[in-house]
């Protein structure tokens, strides 16, 4: 919203609009009245809000929405409870991740605003959000009085120049709102082309290239950067040419990584633009240019293994950054130099440089993920200096400091290195757990088509390559999406049906059941939970809480309940008092959730194991009474997931008075929800989509043959078998029918998968591991639940002198977790 009017005229317009808004707010005290204030620029908005507070005599409260928020009504209720502010302004709608969901939910519950909010409400929106408001919440918007604020071209030009100076100086603020405003300024300014000189055009194109780069639109970023480069070349600004050349080189590098073909044209572009950059550098010999470009070019040179040029640039940049006392950049420079030393097998030098990078990063006040990288470099140097325990310690720290959504490749590399060191040091349990973590991360981020005998997790989105830097940045909440394994199959329909039940008052208890290996836990963790986290039901946000371990279930549930709201950053202190008072405290918290418009969904996964932890019916009574009280809370839902051959254990519930709410019939169709195997046609579609998504392409003939083998005579594909066989195929890179036939049958692939599991136990434990696998099956070849104690007794019969399982192996206490946690059951 810019106008070709004198700044004084626009300022006068905005002042009069503010006065009208202030008068309308004061006239609406004690009643709900909706106002929409349209303003595209945060700087102007902040000034207007300050001025509005001066113009009114009332206390106008302000809340700022965050990316993760899904409802407007529930957010306001949670912020104020029963308090009624005199007036309220809401900012930050542009930052909401799923604005369509929030606006749709707002429109659905619009009457709740009138019923419960006795105060004027002002929504500050950009033009983009205003259009979305009219599209997705038209009925709600129809109540609003809209006030529009303008910005002059002079102010926009000053804004662009300021951001361009920051960009070329390497000091551009990593703020999402700035990116949106740059796009908006580009839309506003071209209306009056005569106000733009060549330098302003060049600045805008440069900034738009940066914005599209951060949005991960590399082709569009390159187009803008090329236009900017043309302006700077035409006007012989070598310093800015060099900066843009570095940006172009990095964008082509990110594109080239996707194809992995060194003959691809993108790699030739990288070399070409690098040569242009170095030509400019030799011509002007600007250390500032190197200092402002080292991060981009350093990563490119590292990828090209051009260690000599990387060392030269990093050393020059380090001098500049030391003079300017820029701790973050100093850490980057030392990190690149440590990479060079590692590549040249100078282990002691690499260790020293990595420590210097860590020391520099420790002085950075804003959180950065860089220490993870520097710890990884330090660990590699220590390993090669024959310090394996120091290396393991720093790899563990690197894992804790790291974030897979921030830099997935680095995180996976850390896990892979840590697994190798654990195994070499004969620490087999942590080695195996680390391996499972790595496989799970690969599945979550779309790098692995099949996870094997692991639980499907929600799909997560890696931050764009643009954000994989060590700078502090505007970190978004990690978005969990329904796993492609769920979305590509009939399980998506199951998720939708379960959500429908959760939203209805006549479904209080849901029992998900199916055979072992059909994917019940994966349906819950990979489908239902991420779907619930993204959805509001009516006026309520949804809080799913999942429990899969039943020893001290009270404390586990409490920890999950508090942590699930993000209200604690560390594990809560243990509850005081006896079990009864602790359960009462839990119930009080659940009732409080309902009063705060929060719909709690308690999910008890692999619930058959509960009956092994508490074999005595008297010990189970307290848990059952607790669930009975939960069912009395109107909005709360309870979901149990268990193997169908253990359904009969639930029959004892029918005798409880609290079960009257479900008609004392826990096995009714109104309670049970069945999950089965895949039909062959569905399995083909799932395999095709998963492999394409993970860039693991299988021949169509191979997929057909694989499904035929998996389906067998029953013409049904067990998800666990599909995952195990698929995982082994991916390990052996079997992508053609010819290789599949040569690899042996489905049974042989499963056997090789199990052989790998046995090898993970260590050579000295392989015989014992094979016996344990044997004991985990019955005469029919199925997998009954067994406690640790039962397995130990069986092993005592076989190895009476050895004493069964050693103390170093993972135990399950008195049946905790049984034996099924790594299956898809």
């Amino acid at each position: 919203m810019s106008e070709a009017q004198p700044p004084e005229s626009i300022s006068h317009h905005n002042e009069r609009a503010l006065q009208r808004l202030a008068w309308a707010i004061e006239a609406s005290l004690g009643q709900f009245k909706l106002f929409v204030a349209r303003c595209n620029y945060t700087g102007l908005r902040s000034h207007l809000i300050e001025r509005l507070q001066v113009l009114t005599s009332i206390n106008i409260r302000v809340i700022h929405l965050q990316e993760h928020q899904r409802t407007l009504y529930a957010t306001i209720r949670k912020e104020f409870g029963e308090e009624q502010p005199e007036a309220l302004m809401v900012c930050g709608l542009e930052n909401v991740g799923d604005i369509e969901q929030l606006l749709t939910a707002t429109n659905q519950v619009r009457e709740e605003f009138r019923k419960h909010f006795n105060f004027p409400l002002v929504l500050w929106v950009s033009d983009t959000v205003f259009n979305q408001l009219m599209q997705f919440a038209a009925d709600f918007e129809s109540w609003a009085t809209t006030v529009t604020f303008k910005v002059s071209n002079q102010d926009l030009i000053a804004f662009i120049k300021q951001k361009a100076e920051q960009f070329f100086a390497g000091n551009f603020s990593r703020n999402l709102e700035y990116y949106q405003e740059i796009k908006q300024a580009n839309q506003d300014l071209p209306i009056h082309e005569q106000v733009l000189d060549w330098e302003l055009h060049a600045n805008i194109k440069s900034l738009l290239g940066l914005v599209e780069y951060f949005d991960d639109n590399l082709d569009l970023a390159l187009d803008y950067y090329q236009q900017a480069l043309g302006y700077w070349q035409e006007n012989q600004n070598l310093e800015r040419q060099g900066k843009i050349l570095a940006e172009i080189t990095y964008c082509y590098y990110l594109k080239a990584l996707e194809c992995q073909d060194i003959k691809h044209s993108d790699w030739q572009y990288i070399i070409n633009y690098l040569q242009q950059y170095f030509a400019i550098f030799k011509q002007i010999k600007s250390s500032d240019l190197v200092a402002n470009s080292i991060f981009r070019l350093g990563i490119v040179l590292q990828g090209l293994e051009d260690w000599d040029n990387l060392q030269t640039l990093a050393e020059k940049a380090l001098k500049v950054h030391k003079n300017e006392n820029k701790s973050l950049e100093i850490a980057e420079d030392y990190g690149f130099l440590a990479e060079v030393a590692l590549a040249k097998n100078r282990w002691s030098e690499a260790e020293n440089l990595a420590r210097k990078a860590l020391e520099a990063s420790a002085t950075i006040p804003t959180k950065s993920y860089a220490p993870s990288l520097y710890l990884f470099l330090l660990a590699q140097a220590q390993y090669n200096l024959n310090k394996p325990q120091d290396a393991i310690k720093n790899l563990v720290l690197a894992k804790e400091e790291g974030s897979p959504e921030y830099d997935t490749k680095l995180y996976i590399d850390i896990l892979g290195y840590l697994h190798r060191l654990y195994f070499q040091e004969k620490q087999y349990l942590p080695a195996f757990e680390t391996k499972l973590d790595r496989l799970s991360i690969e599945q979550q981020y779309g790098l692995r088509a099949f996870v094997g005998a692991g639980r499907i997790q929600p799909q997560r989105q890696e931050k764009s390559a643009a954000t994989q830097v060590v700078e502090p940045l505007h970190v978004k909440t990690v978005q969990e999406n329904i796993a492609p394994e769920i979305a590509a199959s009939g399980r998506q329909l199951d998720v939708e049906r379960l959500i429908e039940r959760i939203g209805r008052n006549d479904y209080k208890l849901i029992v998900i059941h199916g055979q072992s290996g059909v994917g019940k836990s994966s349906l819950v963790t990979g489908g239902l939970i991420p779907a619930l986290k993204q959805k509001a039901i009516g006026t309520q946000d949804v809080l799913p809480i999942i429990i899969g371990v039943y020893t001290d279930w009270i404390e586990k549930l409490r920890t999950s309940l508090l942590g699930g709201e993000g209200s604690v950053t560390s594990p809560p202190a243990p509850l005081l008092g006896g079990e009864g008072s602790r359960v009462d405290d839990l119930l009080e918290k659940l009732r409080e959730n309902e009063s705060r418009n929060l719909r709690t969904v308690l999910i008890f996964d692999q619930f058959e194991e509960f009956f092994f932890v508490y074999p005595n019916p008297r010990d189970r009574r307290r848990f059952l009474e607790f669930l009975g009280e939960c069912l009395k809370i109107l909005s709360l839902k309870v979901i149990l997931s268990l193997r169908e051959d253990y359904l009969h254990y639930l029959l004892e519930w029918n005798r409880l008075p609290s079960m009257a709410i479900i008609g004392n019939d826990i096995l009714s169709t109104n309670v049970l929800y069945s999950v089965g195997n895949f039909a062959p046609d569905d399995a083909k579609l799932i395999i095709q989509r998963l492999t394409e998504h993970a860039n693991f392409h299988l021949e169509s003939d191979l997929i057909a043959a694989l499904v035929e083998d998996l389906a067998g005579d029953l013409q049904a594909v067990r998800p666990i078998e599909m995952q195990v066989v698929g995982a082994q195929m991916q390990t052996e890179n079997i992508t053609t029918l010819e290789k599949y036939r040569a690899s042996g049958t489905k049974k042989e692939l499963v056997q090789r998968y199990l052989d790998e599991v046995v090898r993970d136990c260590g050579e000295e434990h392989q015989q014992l591991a094979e016996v344990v696998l044997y004991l985990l099956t019955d005469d029919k070849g199925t997998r009954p639940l067994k406690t640790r104690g039962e397995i130990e007794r069986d092993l005592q019969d076989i190895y009476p002198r050895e004493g069964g399982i050693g103390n170093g192996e993972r135990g399950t206490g008195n049946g905790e977790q049984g034996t099924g946690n790594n299956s898809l059951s």
Side-chain angles (χ1 to χ4, degrees):
M1 291 173 289
S2 66
E3 297 290 339
Q5 301 176 26
E8 297 81 5
S9 175
I10 290 179
S11 177
H12 180 66
H13 165 86
N14 289 343
E15 179 68 16
R16 290 187 59 189
L18 267 183
Q19 291 175 352
R20 290 195 300 270
L21 179 59
W23 176 85
I25 291 173
E26 290 182 338
S28 305
L29 289 179
Q31 59 182 309
F32 178 74
K33 180 68 175 177
L34 179 64
F35 300 93
V36 174
R38 297 177 61 181
C39 178
N40 285 322
Y41 301 94
T42 54
L44 175 60
R45 183 186 307 167
S46 298
H47 169 73
L48 293 172
I49 289 176
E50 290 179 7
R51 178 63 181 155
L52 184 61
Q53 298 279 18
V54 173
L55 291 174
T56 60
S57 59
I58 61 177
N59 180 23
I60 306 179
R61 306 282 289 274
V62 181
I63 63 174
H64 295 268
L65 298 182
Q66 304 300 318
E67 186 204 18
H68 66 275
Q69 285 165 324
R70 301 184 298 275
T71 61
L72 179 60
Y73 176 82
T75 299
I76 296 174
R77 283 293 298 268
K78 183 177 180 180
E79 179 75 19
F80 297 104
E82 297 302 319
E83 177 190 356
Q84 293 282 322
E86 288 187 285
L88 175 65
M89 289 190 288
V90 176
C91 302
L93 281 160
E94 301 85 4
N95 298 327
V96 173
D98 192 345
I99 187 65
E100 178 180 343
Q101 155 73 27
L102 183 140
L103 293 177
T104 300
T106 298
N107 203 52
Q108 291 172 345
V109 301
R110 58 191 178 278
E111 292 297 335
E112 300 297 320
F113 286 82
R114 282 180 167 171
K115 290 178 183 177
H116 300 289
F117 293 165
N118 300 319
F119 52 83
L121 173 64
V122 182
L123 303 182
W124 286 88
V125 301
S126 64
D127 285 353
T128 299
V129 173
F130 180 74
N131 292 333
Q132 292 170 319
L133 179 67
M134 295 182 66
Q135 180 180 359
F136 301 112
D139 296 329
F140 185 67
E141 189 276 332
S142 68
W143 296 350
T145 298
T146 301
V147 182
T148 301
F149 297 97
K150 301 175 181 179
V151 63
S152 68
N153 280 330
Q154 288 85 338
D155 288 338
L156 287 181
I157 291 171
F159 169 76
I160 291 295
K161 287 184 176 180
Q162 178 194 31
K163 296 309 170 189
E165 291 296 330
Q166 292 174 351
F167 167 57
F168 285 106
N171 298 319
F172 190 81
S173 176
R174 307 286 296 279
N175 190 305
L176 180 63
E177 290 179 337
Y178 285 159
Y179 306 154
Q180 296 170 336
E181 291 176 14
I182 288 169
K183 284 187 174 182
Q184 186 65 48
N186 182 57
Q187 294 176 14
D188 289 345
L189 283 172
I191 297 175
H192 308 285
E193 289 284 351
Q194 67 271 16
V195 306
L196 303 184
D197 56 24
W198 73 265
E199 186 175 7
L200 192 57
H201 272 297
N203 283 334
I204 289 176
K205 299 304 181 184
S206 300
L207 291 173
L208 286 174
L210 182 68
V211 168
E212 296 302 338
Y213 157 73
F214 279 121
D215 282 345
D216 211 21
N217 300 321
L218 296 181
D219 289 328
L220 195 52
L222 283 167
D223 183 51
Y224 282 125
Y225 280 144
Q226 296 283 6
Q227 294 180 54
L229 181 62
Y231 281 115
W232 299 124
Q233 287 175 333
E234 183 178 349
N235 292 276
Q236 300 181 351
N237 190 317
L238 296 179
E239 190 87 19
R240 295 200 170 185
Q241 282 183 55
K243 174 68 173 177
I244 295 299
L245 283 167
E247 297 291 330
I248 292 174
T249 302
Y250 188 57
C251 285
Y252 273 118
Y253 176 72
L254 295 177
K255 282 169 58 67
L257 288 179
E258 298 176 0
C259 64
Q260 297 295 325
D261 181 5
I262 61 174
K263 296 182 180 179
H264 194 275
S265 58
D266 287 340
W267 290 103
Q268 299 304 312
Y269 286 130
I270 293 170
I271 296 172
N272 176 47
Y273 284 108
L274 266 178
Q275 291 173 343
Q276 292 184 53
Y277 174 88
F278 281 115
I280 288 178
F281 171 66
K282 290 179 181 179
Q283 184 176 350
I284 63 176
K285 299 186 183 301
S286 170
S287 295
D288 288 336
L289 173 61
V290 174
N292 294 336
S293 306
I294 181 60
F295 180 74
R296 301 283 192 270
L297 293 183
I299 292 177
V300 175
L301 293 170
Q302 182 180 317
L304 295 173
E305 299 184 358
D306 188 349
W307 306 117
D308 291 337
N309 272 326
L310 176 57
Q311 182 170 351
T312 298
L313 292 186
E315 288 174 347
K316 290 184 178 297
L318 181 59
K319 292 179 181 178
V320 175
H321 292 146
K322 280 186 174 181
N323 289 335
E324 297 175 351
N325 196 28
K326 291 185 175 181
S327 298
L328 189 146
E329 287 79 3
I330 291 171
E332 289 178 3
D333 300 335
Y334 277 127
F336 284 128
L337 292 172
E339 293 271 12
V340 173
L342 284 174
K344 295 186 175 183
N345 299 334
R346 302 198 295 257
W347 313 125
S348 296
E349 180 184 346
E351 182 183 33
N352 181 52
L353 290 166
R355 289 191 186 280
K356 288 184 176 181
L358 284 168
E359 290 170 3
S361 67
T363 65
I364 303 170
T366 309
K367 178 173 176 55
S368 166
Y369 293 109
S372 179
L373 170 62
Y374 307 144
L375 287 164
F376 183 42
L377 298 175
L378 177 60
Q380 292 177 72
Q382 290 172 328
Y383 171 73
N384 286 285
L385 289 170
N386 198 27
K387 302 176 183 178
Q389 294 306 316
D390 290 340
I392 288 175
K393 177 183 176 181
N394 284 310
L395 285 170
V396 172
L397 287 174
K399 175 186 174 184
E400 293 171 352
E401 293 281 350
S403 174
E405 71 272 6
Y406 182 75
D407 190 336
T408 307
K409 182 182 183 302
L410 172 62
Y411 197 81
I412 289 172
D413 287 344
I414 291 169
L415 292 178
Y417 212 90
L418 182 58
H419 166 253
R420 186 173 70 178
L421 264 63
Y422 271 142
F423 194 85
Q424 289 181 3
E425 294 300 303
K426 300 186 182 301
Q427 299 181 44
Y428 300 121
L429 179 57
F432 185 67
E433 290 174 332
T434 303
K435 177 181 177 179
L436 292 182
D437 285 346
R438 177 175 57 82
L439 295 177
S440 180
I441 293 296
E442 290 175 354
Q443 176 264 317
Q444 291 177 57
Y445 289 89
L447 302 176
R448 172 165 290 274
F450 303 99
V451 74
R455 184 175 301 174
I456 302 299
Q457 297 295 331
Q459 184 75 15
R460 295 173 180 263
Q461 182 65 46
E462 180 183 9
K463 302 253 184 224
S464 69
T467 63
Q468 294 180 15
V469 297
V470 295
E471 302 174 46
L473 48 82
H474 177 80
V475 180
K476 297 182 178 181
T477 303
V478 180
Q479 182 71 46
E480 292 185 351
N481 298 312
I482 295 176
E485 292 88 342
I486 303 298
S489 67
R491 298 290 192 254
Q492 177 75 49
L493 183 59
D494 289 322
V495 170
E496 294 170 0
R497 288 171 175 169
L498 288 168
I499 290 177
E500 181 186 5
R501 287 193 179 195
I502 291 169
R504 290 174 53 174
N505 291 332
D506 53 336
Y507 286 96
K508 294 297 300 178
L509 175 67
I510 303 169
V511 176
I512 301 173
H513 65 96
Q515 296 177 355
S516 173
V518 298
K520 300 181 296 297
S521 292
S522 293
L523 171 64
V524 169
T525 59
L528 182 59
I529 289 179
L532 288 174
K533 287 181 177 180
Q534 297 175 21
K535 189 174 182 63
I537 297 179
T539 63
Q540 296 176 315
D541 283 336
V542 182
L543 175 62
I545 299 293
I546 184 169
I547 298 293
V549 177
Y550 299 100
T551 52
D552 197 7
W553 59 269
I554 299 174
E555 187 62 26
K556 292 183 185 298
L557 181 57
R558 174 179 177 264
T559 301
S560 298
L561 182 61
L562 294 179
E565 292 181 298
S567 57
V568 292
T569 57
S570 59
L575 284 163
L576 301 177
E579 184 177 275
S581 63
R582 294 199 298 158
V583 170
D584 291 340
D585 288 342
L586 273 179
L587 290 169
E588 181 181 352
K589 177 62 179 174
L590 291 170
R591 295 185 186 106
E592 179 187 333
N593 282 354
E594 182 176 45
S595 68
R596 296 167 55 218
N597 279 296
L598 195 61
R599 181 179 292 256
T600 308
V601 181
L602 299 181
I603 304 172
F604 298 94
D605 191 30
Q606 295 185 325
F607 191 66
E608 62 272 8
E609 297 185 4
F610 169 79
F611 298 100
F612 283 80
V613 178
Y614 302 101
N616 190 324
R618 183 179 58 188
D619 296 333
R620 300 197 287 261
R621 181 84 180 191
R622 190 57 182 161
F623 182 85
L624 302 184
E625 289 175 347
F626 165 74
L627 289 188
E629 290 299 314
C630 287
L631 296 180
K632 296 178 182 178
I633 301 174
L634 181 61
S635 66
L636 188 145
K637 301 293 180 180
V638 176
I639 297 177
L640 309 177
S641 176
L642 76 165
R643 285 166 49 167
E644 63 183 25
D645 46 336
Y646 289 86
L647 279 175
H648 63 279
Y649 279 83
L650 301 180
L651 290 174
E652 65 182 87
W653 289 25
N654 283 337
R655 297 190 295 269
L656 295 177
S658 57
M659 291 299 112
I661 197 169
I662 60 170
N664 294 99
D665 187 5
I666 200 167
L667 300 186
S668 70
T669 56
N670 209 42
V671 174
L672 297 183
Y673 191 91
S674 176
V675 178
N677 293 316
F678 295 140
D681 288 343
D682 290 337
K684 289 179 183 178
L685 182 62
I686 295 168
I687 293 172
Q688 181 180 351
R689 291 184 179 177
L690 291 182
T691 52
E692 288 177 352
H693 181 73
N695 200 26
F696 176 59
H697 300 288
L698 304 182
E699 289 182 349
S700 57
D701 290 344
L702 169 56
I703 295 176
L706 174 61
V707 170
E708 183 180 355
D709 290 347
L710 291 170
D713 295 336
L714 296 178
Q715 288 298 291
V717 176
R718 294 183 67 209
I720 182 66
E721 277 194 342
M722 183 184 75
Q723 287 290 335
V724 166
V725 173
Q728 193 60 29
M729 289 173 59
Q730 193 162 1
T731 297
E732 299 180 19
N733 196 30
I734 299 172
T735 58
T736 66
L737 180 59
E738 181 181 1
K739 287 184 179 180
Y740 178 69
R741 296 299 189 204
S743 70
T745 64
K746 173 192 75 173
K747 182 178 180 180
E748 289 172 325
L749 285 167
V750 172
Q751 183 61 53
R752 291 203 290 276
Y753 181 90
L754 293 175
D755 289 343
E756 181 66 26
V757 173
V758 170
R759 284 193 293 273
D760 285 332
C761 296
E763 184 177 359
E764 61 271 39
H765 299 140
Q766 286 189 13
Q767 184 179 6
L768 181 61
E770 290 171 348
V771 173
V772 171
L773 281 176
Y774 169 76
L775 294 175
L776 291 177
T777 59
D778 58 19
D779 295 338
K780 299 178 181 178
T782 59
R783 182 179 60 87
L785 284 177
K786 288 187 178 182
T787 66
R788 175 190 175 102
E790 290 172 330
I791 295 174
E792 285 182 337
R793 286 193 296 271
D794 291 340
L795 285 172
Q796 288 284 359
D797 294 337
I798 300 173
Y799 299 108
R801 296 181 181 178
E802 284 78 354
I805 300 177
N807 290 333
E809 297 297 321
R810 171 184 288 230
T812 55
N814 295 320
E816 180 180 331
Q817 294 188 9
T819 58
N821 267 357
N822 291 326
S823 76
L824 294 179
S825 61

